[in-house]
Amino acid sequence: MISNILLVDDHPAILNGYISILGLNHKDLKLSPTFCYNCEEAYNEITKPIHADFFDFILLDRSLPPFHEKNMKSGEDLAILAKKHQTKAKIIILTGHAETFIIYDIIHNVNPNGLIIKSDATVDVLLDAFHEVIDGKTYYSHTVTDNMKDLLTREDYLDNINRQIIVLIAQGFKNKTIATQLGLSESTVEKRKSKIKDFFLTNKSTDEELIFEVKKQGFI
């Protein structure tokens, strides 16, 4: 059985490696690959009228040269686009970023069939992911699973607003500016910052010490 697969990465050698590995699958699938090296090429393949619902699998790197004309900045944007134009395709995203917030946002914004941190991406991991996705399951590599487990146990501490507050603190903004950008009162920002500091066990710390701990724990 022949399956059409779209592989997107800006390093040709990596794409050749991926297709060689996936060709070892034990599902007797013969893969017919299409290679793209940036967001523009992938956008054109995904949205090409004659390619509507053409691809069975899509393997995307998260970090790609953008296609500003169509507001395609990353593999995440391409994955969301593919869900509209390639409705039968199983989507696996690979990323070199192991930060918990990035992992969380990929899962919640895209909900791909598979998510693999590149440092986890051995031959066995890639094949396991491919087989699991073929069987209709969702596959997360072990770094994804470990990071998400820690976050979800106390997700109320780091809801969407608190995550935005952390990012703004890291950019050097003070409470007044953060409150204005998020449509909150300064007192609400301060209360949320206190909750964030409780999470990172730095309750009496400065903003700089908080961000140091956030980065140390791999959240940003």
Side-chain angles (χ1 to χ4, degrees), residues 27-203:
K27 300 288 187 178
D28 294 325
L29 290 180
K30 304 299 181 184
L31 302 178
S32 176
T34 299
F35 294 153
C36 291
Y37 307 107
N38 53 56
C39 285
E40 181 174 0
E41 290 178 2
Y43 178 93
N44 290 335
E45 288 294 338
I46 290 169
T47 60
K48 190 180 295 182
I50 62 171
H51 274 181
D53 282 330
F54 175 75
F55 294 108
D56 301 292
F57 302 97
I58 298 176
L59 193 72
L60 292 164
D61 187 12
R62 177 180 179 270
S63 299
L64 294 164
F67 183 25
H68 294 297
E69 182 181 334
K70 296 296 184 178
N71 200 31
M72 294 287 114
K73 301 174 184 176
S74 69
E76 291 176 59
D77 295 328
L78 290 172
I80 293 170
L81 178 75
K83 287 194 169 189
K84 299 177 182 177
H85 294 270
Q86 304 293 331
T87 57
K88 70 175 183 177
K90 305 289 188 181
I91 299 172
I92 298 176
I93 294 178
L94 294 104
T95 177
H97 294 277
E99 296 91 338
T100 302
F101 284 176
I102 290 177
I103 293 172
Y104 183 92
D105 284 342
I106 292 172
I107 292 173
H108 280 260
N109 295 337
V110 181
N111 192 27
N113 302 96
L115 177 58
I116 301 172
I117 304 303
K118 285 188 174 181
S119 59
D120 298 337
T122 63
V123 171
D124 287 341
V125 165
L126 287 168
L127 283 173
D128 284 348
F130 194 55
H131 292 146
E132 292 279 293
V133 166
I134 289 173
D135 290 338
K137 301 174 184 177
T138 299
Y139 183 92
Y140 297 149
S141 67
H142 70 84
T143 299
V144 175
T145 303
D146 291 346
N147 286 11
M148 288 304 298
K149 187 185 303 179
D150 183 55
L151 178 59
L152 293 175
T153 55
R154 291 183 284 175
E155 188 174 11
D156 60 317
Y157 277 79
L158 295 177
D159 62 15
N160 183 55
I161 293 174
N162 284 358
R163 297 199 307 279
Q164 290 182 68
I165 289 173
I166 291 172
V167 171
L168 291 171
I169 294 172
Q171 293 173 357
F173 293 112
K174 301 303 181 185
N175 286 5
K176 184 175 181 180
T177 304
I178 294 172
T180 299
Q181 289 208 25
L182 300 182
L184 304 172
S185 67
E186 287 188 57
S187 63
T188 297
V189 171
E190 188 56 45
K191 288 177 183 177
R192 283 182 169 271
K193 280 174 63 174
S194 178
K195 194 173 184 180
I196 292 166
K197 290 178 180 180
D198 281 343
F199 178 88
F200 290 102
L201 304 178
T202 58
N203 196 41

